[in-house]
Amino acid sequence: MSQPLSHPDLRRRNLALLLGTLLRHEEATRKQIEQESGLSKATVSRLTEELLQAGTIVSRTDAPADPSARGRRAETLRPATTLGIVAGLSLGTRTTSIFVTDLTGRELAWQQVRTPKWTSLDEAVAWTAEFAQQAVEPLSAPLRRVVVAVPSRTLDGVTIMRAPLFMSVLEGDAFARALADRLDCRIRIELDAAMVLVGLEHLGFIDRAISPVLLNASSVLTMSLRRRDGSIVEGLTRSFGDFDLIPIETPFGHSTIGASLGARGLFDLSERLGHPLEAMEDLWETEGEAIDRLRDVFQAALLQAIRIIAVTTDPRLIIFTGRLSPLVRLSLPRVEAALARELAEPPELRVVGHAANDYPAAVGAAQEARDGAVVDLLDRVTGSGLDGLR
């Protein structure tokens, strides 16, 4: 039998409930807080005054739309930025982006720079920390959490596996731990495809209720999918989503589905062909026999990847993003025709064309960071009351 809450416990729980209600909105009236939280008018009034005095929330009184109207001016409350800020960092092979929000998700800063070529872990940590610090320093608020999206497989939110090219210095869990020390906040490492999926949903490009699968075809191929219960599949082993494990035959010898759907692998195949690509854009902007043969390899790998996804995860929608999305779009007519012949009910295929995925990946990472930081904050308030906000 559970024990009844003591008065201090009940007060802390109500405080967390009120603050959590307010954090779900950029601003709200006291009446809206009462209706959504279920707290009484007297409780909301008392706790609101405590939070206002502590500087945790701020009040704004707006003049009525009709100057001749009588009565009190409308008051709205919003969480103060001093509660903390979070950042989503998209660490790409070409560019790195950061998206900073407060704990309501309101955008505070956005910045993008070219990713340098690191030669050591220390150099990567120092550069990443400095980039993040420069973005958040003008905001004068505690940095609560950072989520870093990377183009490689991740495990348990800290370990980076099989990072591409020069990013191999990030492999393991040392990068997350060292970055947490430098920034003095919680760090979580996430797969870029998962954060792109969250970002595109948050920006309104796709409906999360559809439970889509996302393939991010950039320097390397990464995959993410949302379950029907709303959670994103993170994978329990190092094999999850690794299309580099699945072999495929090409006119140029053995390859894998993953290599044939990533920029790095296509460059390697073009060298085997004897016609090295000068730029990846040649694959969808130019013509020629060598280009056609590479397109055929890409199309065959794309079709095989979709077949595997369709019969194992049964998605209604597969989304393609990333640097190679123009090549995907060029291949879709023939791929869709083949799927229509093979599958009783093929999934919808959609290309979300972004010149780079850094923005939605950073937005998604910031959303994940914000959700985690809010849970941490409300846990502290439930345990320590107002002292948990310090």
Side-chain angles (χ1 to χ4, degrees):
M1 182 174 179
S2 60
Q3 295 295 319
L5 291 173
S6 67
H7 178 69
D9 290 339
L10 182 62
R11 179 182 172 281
R12 289 193 296 267
R13 191 207 67 175
N14 288 342
L15 193 63
L17 180 59
L18 186 150
L19 190 56
T21 302
L22 194 52
L23 283 169
R24 286 193 289 273
H25 309 277
E26 284 196 19
E27 58 182 24
T29 64
R30 297 186 190 218
K31 186 67 175 176
Q32 289 170 331
I33 294 172
E34 292 169 28
Q35 293 173 341
E36 186 169 331
S37 68
L39 297 172
S40 69
K41 181 177 180 179
T43 298
V44 169
S45 178
R46 182 176 66 255
L47 296 180
T48 294
E49 292 306 319
E50 291 184 24
L51 291 171
L52 284 167
Q53 291 178 15
T56 301
I57 64 175
V58 294
S59 171
R60 188 183 73 194
T61 304
D62 296 327
D66 181 0
S68 64
R70 296 182 179 181
R72 296 181 60 184
R73 294 183 173 186
E75 179 200 37
T76 56
L77 303 166
R78 63 178 177 84
T81 304
T82 52
L83 270 179
I85 57 178
V86 298
L89 198 65
S90 174
L91 204 60
T93 57
R94 304 176 75 189
T95 57
T96 294
S97 303
I98 190 168
F99 189 82
V100 185
T101 78
D102 63 14
L103 295 190
T104 69
R106 181 169 60 98
E107 178 182 350
L108 301 176
W110 155 253
Q111 189 177 352
Q112 184 179 79
V113 296
R114 289 197 65 82
T115 306
K117 306 299 182 184
W118 307 302
T119 59
S120 69
L121 175 64
D122 289 345
E123 186 179 342
V125 171
W127 182 87
T128 306
E130 183 179 1
F131 177 57
Q133 287 165 339
Q134 288 176 349
V136 303
E137 187 175 10
L139 302 174
S140 300
L143 181 60
R144 300 293 188 186
R145 184 181 284 241
V146 176
V147 171
V148 184
V150 294
S152 59
R153 283 142 193 95
T154 64
L155 196 62
D156 300 329
V158 292
T159 303
I160 297 174
M161 302 172 294
R162 298 185 61 183
L165 300 175
F166 72 93
M167 297 182 82
S168 61
V169 299
L170 305 182
E171 290 183 352
D173 61 7
F175 176 75
R177 301 187 192 285
L179 190 61
D181 289 341
R182 290 288 296 265
L183 295 178
D184 192 26
C185 71
R186 292 195 175 188
I187 300 292
R188 186 170 179 87
I189 309 295
E190 294 285 2
L191 177 71
D192 62 350
M195 295 301 96
V196 172
L197 179 58
V198 173
L200 291 175
E201 291 169 343
H202 185 70
L203 293 168
F205 283 94
I206 52 178
D207 183 355
R208 64 179 294 169
I210 296 175
S211 302
V213 172
L214 184 140
L215 290 178
N216 188 37
S218 291
S219 296
V220 295
L221 177 71
T222 53
M223 183 186 81
S224 180
L225 62 133
R226 189 175 287 284
R227 295 186 182 95
R228 286 178 173 80
D229 66 3
S231 63
I232 286 185
V233 178
E234 296 182 348
L236 299 177
T237 73
R238 297 168 185 258
S239 301
F240 172 73
D242 192 350
F243 282 95
D244 282 342
L245 297 175
I246 305 175
I248 188 172
E249 288 296 326
T250 78
F252 327 121
H254 297 290
S255 185
T256 67
I257 291 177
S260 301
L261 295 177
R264 183 178 64 182
L266 288 172
F267 271 121
D268 291 342
L269 286 175
S270 71
E271 291 180 348
R272 287 196 217 172
L273 177 61
H275 292 81
L277 290 168
E278 293 184 8
M280 189 53 56
E281 289 75 13
D282 290 346
L283 283 173
W284 55 88
E285 293 181 353
T286 64
E287 299 293 338
E289 181 181 351
I291 294 296
D292 288 342
R293 295 179 72 186
L294 286 169
R295 286 176 182 166
D296 288 344
V297 169
F298 181 86
Q299 180 183 297
L302 184 63
L303 179 58
Q304 186 66 357
I306 295 171
R307 286 176 179 137
I308 294 169
I309 292 169
V311 300
T312 56
T313 68
D314 192 27
R316 293 165 55 191
L317 172 66
I318 300 178
I319 300 160
F320 301 92
T321 62
R323 184 182 175 190
L324 300 183
S325 56
L327 186 56
V328 175
R329 185 178 282 111
L330 189 64
S331 304
L332 278 190
R334 292 174 65 185
V335 168
E336 288 175 327
L339 292 173
R341 293 191 300 268
E342 298 171 359
L343 302 178
E345 201 169 333
E348 177 190 350
L349 308 180
R350 187 186 306 173
V351 178
V352 180
H354 290 269
N357 276 333
D358 295 58
Y359 182 71
V363 169
Q367 182 68 21
E368 290 292 295
R370 179 255 173 199
D371 290 347
V374 167
V375 170
D376 291 343
L377 180 69
L378 297 181
D379 283 347
R380 295 198 304 271
V381 171
T382 301
S384 306
L386 285 175
D387 289 339
L389 300 175
R390 297 188 175 94

